[in-house]
């Protein structure tokens, strides 16, 4: 076997464009607001800044990772698109939403073990999020589904058992023709029941900023669970820690 990538040990960059300083006071920075700032910056340097690595674990504790697209986040757990402002329950604060097929491998993992990790990589920055995944409401999924391109809506119907074997590309395209014909003249293609969103809670979020000499900045926000008569109306409370690089 002739492999051409023999120079990997010498591939490295020097990170020196940004810093992540210590915060002077607890609660000085909200991690969701900081994520929003970093995501805004990332959109200027990365084509799909909302691409994230979703890691799950199956019932045998075997991990699996794949890239999915973040489609909404905020401190109430619903999409920022006005038509999708559906949830106001304080218990749903700080959540990140993506969409997929509920028969997929990732969905099966999350049904068995709801713990999930999300990772974003933006040049000299990374963000890692850990939390529990739950399905969003059918109404939310319906609303988002109608924002998708027509071809993507049909694609959801074609792939009715995501991650299962298919004989050939030709068979896949034949199924597509069936649904193109089925929905001909239908303006609002309905969402199939097996397709929808997952919401991952933000219980732990780490911001990683590359620095010179590999002395990277790593700041972690870990959610503090409300106790007794604590007032959750002002949002979650966070412990903030700097980690060794």
């Amino acid at each position: 076997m002739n492999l051409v990538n023999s120079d990997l040990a010498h591939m490295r960059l020097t990170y020196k464009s940004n810093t992540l300083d210590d915060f002077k006071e607890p609660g000085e920075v909200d991690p969701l607001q900081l994520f929003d700032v970093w995501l805004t910056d990332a959109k200027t340097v990365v084509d799909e800044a909302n691409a994230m690595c979703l890691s799950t674990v199956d019932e045998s504790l075997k991990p699996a990772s794949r890239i999915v697209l973040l489609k909404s986040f905020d401190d109430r757990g619903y999409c920022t698109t006005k038509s999708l402002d559906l949830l106001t329950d304080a218990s749903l604060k700080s959540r990140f939403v993506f969409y997929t097929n509920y028969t997929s491998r990732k969905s099966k993992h999350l049904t068995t073990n709801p713990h999930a990790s999300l990772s974003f990589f933006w040049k000299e920055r990374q963000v890692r999020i850990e939390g529990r995944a739950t399905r969003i409401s059918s109404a939310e999924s319906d609303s988002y589904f109608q924002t998708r391109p027509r071809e993507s809506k049909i694609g959801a119907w074609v792939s009715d058992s995501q991650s299962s074997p298919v004989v050939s590309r030709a068979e896949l395209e034949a199924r597509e023709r069936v649904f193109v014909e089925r929905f001909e003249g239908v303006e609002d293609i309905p969402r199939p029941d097996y397709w929808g969103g997952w919401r991952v809670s933000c219980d732990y979020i780490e911001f990683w900023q590359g620095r010179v000499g590999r002395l990277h900045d790593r700041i972690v926000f870990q959610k503090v669970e409300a106790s007794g008569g604590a007032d959750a109306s002002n949002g979650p409370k966070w412990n903030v820690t700097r980690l060794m690089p």
Side-chain angles (χ1 to χ4, degrees):
M1 182 182 296
N2 183 23
L3 302 178
V4 298
N5 288 291
S6 59
D7 61 341
L8 298 181
H10 303 289
M11 292 178 63
R12 60 176 56 84
L13 296 175
T14 297
Y15 305 129
K16 54 184 179 182
S17 64
N18 286 287
T19 64
L20 182 57
D21 298 329
D22 295 316
F23 302 121
K24 296 179 181 179
E25 300 291 340
E28 178 183 354
V29 175
D30 182 278
L32 273 296
Q33 292 178 340
L34 181 56
F35 178 85
D36 195 37
V37 171
W38 276 30
L39 178 57
T40 300
D41 291 344
K43 288 162 68 175
T44 67
V45 296
V46 179
D47 288 335
E48 282 191 311
N50 62 328
M52 58 186 183
C53 179
L54 166 68
S55 297
T56 58
V57 177
D58 68 11
E59 58 186 3
S60 299
L61 301 183
K62 294 180 180 179
S65 298
R66 75 289 287 162
I67 303 300
V68 298
L69 296 179
L70 176 69
K71 286 302 180 180
S72 65
F73 79 96
D74 67 15
D75 63 356
R76 288 179 292 178
Y78 58 64
C79 296
T80 52
T81 304
K82 290 183 178 180
S83 63
L84 303 185
D85 290 354
L86 301 174
L87 298 181
T88 57
D89 187 343
S91 67
L92 298 178
K93 288 180 179 294
S94 307
R95 306 255 176 140
F96 292 70
V97 175
F98 69 93
Y99 293 85
T100 189
N101 188 307
Y102 286 141
T103 69
S104 66
R105 186 184 182 198
K106 68 181 84 65
S107 289
K108 291 176 180 177
H109 285 188
L110 293 173
T111 299
T112 301
N113 183 343
H115 296 282
S117 175
L118 308 174
S119 297
F120 297 83
F121 176 63
W122 301 316
K123 299 289 187 180
E124 298 188 4
R125 286 174 167 172
Q126 298 181 53
V127 178
R128 293 198 312 107
I129 296 164
E130 298 175 9
R132 293 174 61 89
T134 55
R135 291 191 187 191
I136 68 173
S137 69
S138 296
E140 286 179 280
S141 292
D142 287 339
S143 295
Y144 172 73
F145 191 78
Q146 291 309 319
T147 70
R148 306 184 86 209
R150 184 176 183 85
E151 294 83 356
S152 298
K153 293 177 184 177
I154 290 175
W157 282 93
V158 172
S159 182
D160 61 352
S161 54
Q162 190 180 87
S163 303
S164 64
V166 61
V167 173
S168 64
R169 177 75 192 185
E171 179 181 328
L172 195 63
E173 292 176 353
R175 284 181 55 81
E176 181 185 31
R177 290 191 291 272
V178 168
F179 286 102
V180 167
E181 181 177 348
R182 172 177 171 179
F183 292 117
E184 184 177 0
V186 178
E187 182 176 355
D188 295 327
I189 298 175
R191 176 185 63 89
D193 292 340
Y194 52 77
W195 190 98
W198 286 95
R199 178 180 287 107
V200 179
S201 65
C202 179
D203 303 325
Y204 175 104
I205 179 167
E206 175 184 339
F207 294 87
W208 182 99
Q209 172 65 60
R211 296 292 298 271
V212 174
R214 297 310 193 247
L215 293 180
H216 310 307
D217 290 323
R218 297 177 62 191
I219 302 293
V220 167
F221 293 79
Q222 194 154 10
K223 188 181 295 182
V224 179
E225 296 295 334
S227 60
D231 181 11
S233 61
N234 294 322
K237 307 300 181 185
W238 304 89
N239 282 333
V240 184
T241 308
R242 175 177 285 271
L243 301 181
M244 291 285 283

